[in-house]
Amino acid sequence: VLLGNSVILSIILTAISLACFIPVYLAVKPLLPNLEPLDNTLVWLAIASLPMGLLAHLLTCIVQGRQYFAGYNLQILAKPVLPLISFLVVLFLLQGGPREILIANLIVTATLACLILVIVRKAIGSLKPSVDIGIMKETVTYGAKAELANMGGFLLRRLDMLMIGIMLGISSVGLY
């Protein structure tokens, strides 16, 4: 049930995120002249990794909840190591730029999601997804409260950068 709910929730949350982000991005981009050199392809490549990244995160929670610590530790180690290796290969061996790094990120995110699916299969014994609306409703209710708390904490931690950006400009935030 949790696997099916996780897959469906990752698709729904990705759709909601994109439905909110795309109009805001398109409306705000002309207002910020510093964003003008930004290539739209880079934005879409960054967004493309969202569904797999969210699915990987939700599946990680399943592995942790099932207390399959060997699998959990493996994915915790793989999450920083695989991107680091791929970025180093792209930067130094292939002499790639931002577009190539985002493509590598997309490949790594999909690879991690597949690795975590294998770990979930080992933890729960099966990959037959089913859906339970009651459990999904509880998960979304709890998750929404936790996410609001996370957003508040993020704003609190980044409030100084936001104030510097408003008062002194984006380049001052980079120096800060």
Side-chain angles (χ1 to χ4, degrees):
V1 171
L2 291 177
L3 178 63
N5 284 355
S6 295
V7 170
I8 289 175
L9 280 175
S10 67
I11 292 168
I12 291 170
L13 292 174
T14 299
I16 291 170
S17 299
L18 292 177
C20 294
F21 171 77
I22 292 172
V24 170
Y25 172 73
L26 294 175
V28 168
K29 189 175 180 196
L31 302 176
L32 298 172
N34 293 338
L35 288 181
E36 209 47 51
L38 184 64
D39 182 6
N40 283 335
T41 309
L42 299 178
V43 175
W44 303 126
L45 280 172
I47 289 173
S49 67
L50 185 64
M52 285 292 176
L54 185 58
L55 179 62
H57 174 71
L58 293 172
L59 293 176
T60 298
C61 295
I62 291 174
V63 173
Q64 187 178 19
R66 293 293 297 204
Q67 297 181 0
Y68 181 55
F69 296 118
Y72 180 77
N73 290 337
L74 176 65
Q75 64 194 11
I76 290 299
L77 288 173
K79 281 183 180 180
V81 171
L82 287 178
L84 177 65
I85 291 170
S86 71
F87 296 160
L88 290 175
V89 167
V90 167
L91 280 176
F92 296 113
L93 296 180
L94 303 177
Q95 301 295 316
R99 177 173 289 124
E100 290 78 15
I101 288 177
L102 287 171
I103 291 170
N105 180 54
L106 189 59
I107 293 168
V108 166
T109 304
T111 304
L112 281 171
C114 292
L115 171 69
I116 296 170
L117 267 173
V118 170
I119 293 170
V120 165
R121 183 171 185 257
K122 194 168 185 179
I124 64 176
S126 172
L127 285 180
K128 295 178 185 172
S130 61
V131 178
D132 184 334
I133 299 299
I135 292 175
M136 188 181 297
K137 200 178 286 187
E138 286 180 43
T139 304
V140 169
T141 302
Y142 176 78
K145 293 174 189 173
E147 195 55 38
L148 283 173
N150 285 340
M151 284 191 275
F154 175 79
L155 285 175
L156 186 62
R157 286 189 306 276
R158 300 292 180 209
L159 190 60
D160 55 341
M161 289 185 189
L162 182 62
M163 290 172 54
I164 290 171
I166 290 170
M167 292 189 285
L168 301 175
I170 294 174
S171 57
S172 298
V173 173
L175 293 173
Y176 174 73

